[in-house]
Amino acid sequence: MTLRIDISGLPGERVRFAASPLAELTAMLHVLAAPGHHPRHAGWAADVRAGLPPELAERLREAEFLWRSSQADFLYPARPRPTLAEELDAVDRTDDDRYVTAALVSTCGSTRGRFATASPLTDRAARERALDLAQARGARHGAFAERLLTEPAAVRARVRRTLELCAEAFFDAAWAEVAVPLATDLRVKNDLLRRQGLGAALAAVSRAVTLSGDGDVIVVDKLQDKATSADGAGVTFLPSVFADPHLVAVHAPGWQPVVQYPVPAGETGPAEPVSLDTVTLRLEALAHPVRLRLLRTLARGPHTTGELAHTWELSLPEVSRHLAVMRRAGLVTPRRHGRYVRHTLDLPGLTALGTDLLAAVLR
């Protein structure tokens, strides 16, 4: 499962690597709303929450649907500006239909295509559908969606003011601290882009982001099957210290593709992600009771195919078939010792499976 971004015919200068204050603030707000996703920032989140003025804490609860589970697309600028104020000005220039539709995606928990054919601001059926979806998510979701559809200008102004208050309360200080790692990352990515091409730059972003063999498609390894096009506008990559472990991608119709990727703030950064295909193979390998028995034996040490067959009273061909499945999944490694081939369990890979599965789901 992947998100595919078509860049065929796109001039090289329209693939951008740049820092965005608004996107980084969004990542911070997500950390505050869902700290369980971000153990590396748990201490920071606890300190910020403890110091929030009560009015701002209530404002964040009121609008947290914009960044908690799925983030509104307007929070990820395709053309980043140097300051948060400039990026908020650009959001203000977005028309109500695009803003409201993007906000409803996160508020209602719907897909990005749900409101593509009719505006809930002008189409009664689309409005009722949006309200039903929001109310099904909870009373606060429903109330927010009702206000958004009734008074979009007032809600937009209140959301902007909330983000400005965040800048005063914690963002300005945090942004100053992440400026150096973000600038360092951008120097590396832009140098690779200039000297070695897009493939090398994407390889440095993450193993979860690759360039197709013909160079016409950027492939993002995520739990979805989606496709979008950069058209003539381009595609923008935003580094983030606070995004880990998420790889956020904007791909809604009418929005320029944007990918926010995590970068380390210090010497130890986020672990390179295991591909979704690998996680799927490992889960499938573990779903068979015979393979679980074989793994139980291999966990005690290397064994030959014959030893495994004897231990579990199985035929050699049957054991060989199960070992082949586990080898393809990267759970077992064969090593020859003279006449014998012994199979060794990859304990670190098996131990990390839960973490890898969570990372693939959160990515």
Side-chain angles (χ1 to χ4, degrees), residues 240-317:
S240 171
V241 167
F242 281 83
D244 176 45
H246 303 308
L247 193 61
V248 180
V250 170
H251 55 83
W255 296 90
Q256 181 178 326
V258 176
V259 177
Q260 184 187 55
Y261 62 93
V263 300
E267 294 182 2
T268 57
E272 273 298 315
V274 172
S275 73
L276 182 58
D277 285 344
T278 298
V279 173
T280 302
L281 279 174
R282 290 179 177 175
L283 290 174
E284 290 174 348
L286 295 172
H288 197 290
V290 172
R291 290 195 281 272
L292 286 176
R293 292 175 193 148
L294 298 179
L295 287 174
R296 177 180 173 84
T297 302
L298 291 173
R300 292 172 168 81
H303 285 71
T304 67
T305 302
E307 289 172 330
L308 292 169
H310 175 74
T311 299
W312 293 104
E313 298 181 350
L314 300 168
S315 69
L316 286 172

Side-chain angles (χ1 to χ4, degrees), residues 303-353:
H303 285 71
T304 67
T305 302
E307 289 172 330
L308 292 169
H310 175 74
T311 299
W312 293 104
E313 298 181 350
L314 300 168
S315 69
L316 286 172
E318 185 177 6
V319 172
S320 295
R321 286 195 300 272
H322 287 302
L323 288 172
V325 172
M326 293 190 288
R327 282 199 304 273
R328 287 195 297 272
L331 294 174
V332 170
T333 303
R335 290 187 175 87
R336 179 169 291 280
H337 299 271
R339 295 172 50 206
Y340 300 99
V341 175
R342 294 190 174 92
H343 303 276
T344 303
L345 177 64
D346 180 4
L347 278 172
L350 188 60
T351 302
L353 180 58

Side-chain angles (χ1 to χ4, degrees), residues 55-202:
E55 181 196 354
L56 179 55
E58 178 54 35
R59 281 173 169 265
L60 292 180
R61 283 191 292 272
E62 174 187 291
E64 71 172 5
F65 325 112
L66 298 178
W67 49 73
R68 182 182 181 88
S69 54
S70 64
Q71 294 83 7
D73 291 336
F74 57 76
L75 296 173
Y76 294 94
R79 295 182 179 275
R81 271 75 167 182
T83 67
L84 179 63
E86 290 174 277
E87 292 191 326
L88 292 176
D89 288 343
V91 173
D92 286 345
R93 291 191 288 272
T94 303
D95 64 63
D96 280 349
D97 276 342
R98 295 183 74 211
Y99 185 103
V100 168
T101 298
L104 286 174
V105 166
S106 53
T107 305
C108 302
S110 73
T111 65
R112 281 170 161 77
R114 185 67 62 91
F115 306 111
T117 57
S119 167
L121 289 175
T122 56
D123 184 88
R124 184 170 184 174
R127 176 191 174 90
E128 290 177 355
R129 183 167 65 250
L131 291 175
D132 285 345
L133 287 168
Q135 288 162 0
R137 305 265 296 179
R140 287 196 298 126
H141 294 74
F144 183 86
E146 180 73 41
R147 291 196 306 274
L148 182 66
L149 291 170
T150 303
E151 300 180 284
V155 172
R156 292 179 63 161
R158 185 168 176 83
V159 169
R160 173 172 180 146
R161 182 55 185 154
T162 297
L163 298 178
E164 290 171 340
L165 290 172
C166 289
E168 299 169 13
F170 62 86
F171 173 72
D172 288 346
W175 179 248
E177 290 185 8
V178 303
V180 171
L182 292 182
T184 300
D185 180 81
L186 288 173
R187 280 196 297 272
V188 171
K189 300 301 190 295
N190 283 306
D191 186 63
L192 285 170
L193 185 62
R194 183 176 62 256
R195 295 176 182 272
Q196 300 182 38
L198 180 57
L202 295 181

